[in-house]
Amino acid sequence: MKKNNLSSTKTVLILLFLFFLSVNIFAQQKVTVERQTILMGSQFQITIVAEDSLKANHYIDMTIDEIARIEELISEWRPHTQISQVNAYAGIKPIQVDSEVFDLTKRAIAYSMMSDGAFDISTAAMDRIWKFDGSMDTLPSAQAIKNSIAHVDYRNIILDSTNSTIFLKNKGMKIGFGSIGKGYAADRGRELLLKHHVEGGIVNASGDLSTWGTQPNKKPWLIGIRNPFKRNKVIKVLKLKYEAVATSGSYEKYAEINDIRYSHIINPKTGYPVTGLTSVTIYGPSAEFANALSTSIMVLGAQEGRKLVRKYPSYKYLFITDNGTVIK
């Protein structure tokens, strides 16, 4: 009887060994596939960990379809989208939209309230009097700057939750999701893939990115934060699993007039380019919210920006000032 038990134990141990061996071999066979594509007018890079490249590419196709679907809802540049219809009927009548569009707009207004108007999706109506293509050599007049923000005010976006409508109170108003749309798409792409049990990956929307899981070697994803003053230097390397990162910066697009550099990020209250911070990186659970924070803080500045982000303990920050000082 003891001999049989011993034989049985050996059999179990062998089976367990074979099981763990097969799991280890299976894990080693995982592949990482990356693909770049243009969506929402920006470069997206989608990285997937899967059993083989065929499955990985299938999941990438799914993600691209999801982001394209979102773009068809919220793009203000395509005349047939729901947001374009909202803009076309500004000051005329409310437009009924899908619950997804309504909820995104509702969150955007909450971000405006959170930041006291530093974040505002109605900046889509701002007159483009500042040029950041190297052609601008004189400042706009004070009156032109004042006029440029005449139709900007999130408080004039009227939501009706009963009928799921958006109404822009004044003619000439527009809303757009250039500030948080890509972060939202990255988050949605991640959630879609998690529902399909994809164990790891990154949806990177030109720097606004969402990560989950790990690399095939079980190590976290490594995301470098670049020094805008030294392009080949990395200030910090983030080790991420289920997290997101967003960076807002003034170092790639700007106008230089009389030896003064003017950022392409405009304060929606004043119409003037922001000063003080060259870049703001926020990382935490959601790319959408991280982007709302980073955009707000570029306008608010370092002191008020730190007060804001510290209200949300699950989000961390790294600021770089115009003189190169790192605040973290």
Side-chain angles (χ1 to χ4, degrees):
M1 190 69 179
K2 287 181 182 179
K3 194 170 183 180
N4 286 341
N5 284 340
L6 184 61
S7 175
S8 224
T9 302
K10 284 181 179 177
T11 303
V12 170
L13 288 172
I14 290 167
L15 287 172
L16 284 171
F17 172 77
L18 290 172
F19 171 75
F20 287 120
L21 181 63
S22 66
V23 167
N24 188 48
I25 291 170
F26 181 71
Q28 290 175 353
Q29 288 176 342
K30 296 290 173 69
V31 299
T32 303
V33 177
E34 294 180 1
R35 193 192 308 171
Q36 293 185 358
T37 187
I38 301 297
L39 293 159
M40 296 183 160
S42 301
Q43 182 170 284
F44 275 68
Q45 180 174 303
I46 302 165
T47 304
I48 298 292
V49 176
E51 289 81 2
D52 55 61
S53 59
L54 190 66
K55 285 185 178 179
N57 277 296
H58 169 67
Y59 293 133
I60 290 173
D61 289 339
M62 284 175 53
T63 310
I64 290 171
D65 288 345
E66 173 67 357
I67 296 166
R69 182 193 67 79
I70 292 167
E71 187 173 13
E72 280 293 303
L73 286 176
I74 67 172
S75 171
E76 72 264 32
W77 304 108
R78 298 181 179 183
H80 59 274
T81 68
Q82 293 183 11
I83 290 301
S84 289
Q85 291 299 299
V86 169
N87 292 340
Y89 285 95
I92 301 171
K93 68 174 184 177
I95 297 298
Q96 190 172 55
V97 297
D98 290 358
S99 59
E100 183 178 0
V101 176
F102 185 90
D103 291 343
L104 182 61
T105 307
K106 186 176 180 179
R107 291 197 302 275
I109 293 172
Y111 302 151
S112 294
M113 296 172 68
M114 164 192 86
S115 64
D116 190 28
F119 177 93
D120 195 328
I121 58 170
S122 70
T123 53
M126 192 180 292
D127 292 340
R128 309 303 173 187
I129 59 172
W130 296 90
K131 309 293 181 186
F132 303 102
D133 57 4
S135 64
M136 194 172 188
D137 55 11
T138 58
L139 294 175
S141 69
Q143 188 60 48
I145 292 170
K146 183 180 178 180
N147 293 343
S148 73
I149 57 170
H151 300 298
V152 177
D153 192 336
Y154 72 92
R155 291 169 297 185
N156 291 324
I157 305 170
I158 311 301
L159 302 183
D160 180 346
S161 57
T162 302
N163 297 304
S164 190
T165 62
I166 303 173
F167 177 51
L168 306 184
K169 190 175 178 181
N170 302 320
K171 286 189 176 182
M173 282 190 71
K174 290 181 182 179
I175 58 174
F177 292 98
S179 51
I180 56 170
K182 291 189 291 293
Y184 171 66
D187 287 344
R188 284 298 299 254
R190 175 178 63 185
E191 298 315 306
L192 173 70
L193 294 168
L194 280 167
K195 284 180 182 177
H196 285 81
H197 309 293
V198 178
E199 65 180 65
I202 306 172
V203 181
N204 182 352
S206 294
D208 299 336
L209 58 89
S210 295
T211 69
W212 74 101
T214 63
Q215 301 179 63
N217 60 9
K218 301 304 178 186
K219 292 184 178 180
W221 301 102
L222 304 179
I223 306 297
I225 300 175
R226 192 172 63 180
N227 185 335
F229 296 99
K230 298 175 182 177
R231 295 302 182 88
N232 58 341
K233 299 287 185 181
V234 172
I235 293 175
K236 185 179 180 66
V237 176
L238 305 178
K239 297 179 180 180
L240 307 180
K241 291 186 178 178
Y242 186 93
E243 280 189 275
V245 183
T247 297
S248 296
S250 62
Y251 51 90
E252 290 184 339
K253 289 174 67 179
Y254 55 86
E256 198 162 307
I257 304 168
N258 300 327
D259 298 323
I260 299 174
R261 181 177 290 189
Y262 293 89
S263 161
H264 78 283
I265 299 174
I266 307 296
N267 185 326
K269 289 185 174 182
T270 67
Y272 282 88
V274 301
T275 58
L277 292 172
T278 294
S279 76
V280 172
T281 298
I282 303 293
Y283 49 105
S286 162
E288 178 194 317
F289 189 62
N291 211 171
L293 284 172
S294 67
T295 302
S296 300
I297 292 165
M298 282 295 297
V299 175
L300 292 170
Q303 186 174 350
E304 293 303 313
R306 277 192 289 185
K307 288 180 185 177
L308 175 61
V309 75
R310 284 172 177 170
K311 293 178 181 178
Y312 305 96
S314 56
Y315 289 83
K316 297 179 182 178
Y317 63 88
L318 190 151
F319 307 162
I320 302 171
T321 66
D322 288 345
N323 63 12
T325 302
V326 177
I327 303 171
K328 56 184 176 179

